[in-house]
Amino acid sequence: MSDCLFCKILEGKIPSTKVYEDDLVYGFKDIAPHSKEHYLFIHRNHTKDVNDLMDKSQQDLLDLFSAMKKFTENSDLSNNGFRIVTNMGPHGGQTVFHTHFHVLGGEQLRGFGR
Ligand code: AMP
Ligand code: ZN
């Protein structure tokens, strides 16, 4: 989509720091990290959020989780643990409307009752 920030990143029109790439999925560093390691994983197909993705192309979800597995199992994240998050809509805090998963780690994470 021409007005989508993450589509522009996929097209190389906006710079990003790549950490993972395959034919279907792109992973890059979050510009404003919430933890020592904070990456974003996006599919090359544009959908606006996970529910839109589930309506349009459920295979994309498997592609994304497969990519995150390949990435994390080749790093210390798999030894120490990490968190995968996706935000939906205003109350969820979604700010970029191209489905993405946050991969957070590199230190002890807080929240969710801890
Ligand atoms: P969300 O708030 O869940 O929609 O997540 C959007 C994320 O994109 C935020 O964590 C931002 O810090 C991140 N972000 C915004 N612009 C860029 C960019 N140009 N490069 C990397 N990450 C970005
Ligand atoms: Zn997009």
Side-chain angles (χ1 to χ4, degrees), residues 34-35 37-39 77 81-85 102-106 109:
H34 282 255
S35 53
E37 293 189 60
H38 185 173
Y39 310 110
L77 289 168
F82 57 94
R83 183 175 292 163
I84 294 174
V85 173
H102 299 258
V103 175
L104 299 146
L109 301 174

Side-chain angles (χ1 to χ4, degrees), residues 5-6 28-32 40 87 93-96 100 102:
L5 176 68
F6 287 173
F28 56 106
K29 287 190 178 176
D30 195 294
I31 205 168
L40 299 172
N87 296 323
Q94 187 178 8
T95 58
V96 178
H100 53 280
H102 299 258

Side-chain angles (χ1 to χ4, degrees), residues 4 9-10 18 22 28 30 32-33 41 52 61-62 71 80 103:
C4 169
I9 284 180
L10 287 169
K18 177 175 76 179
D22 65 32
F28 56 106
D30 195 294
F41 277 71
D52 185 36
L61 198 64
L62 294 176
F71 172 69
N80 298 322
V103 175

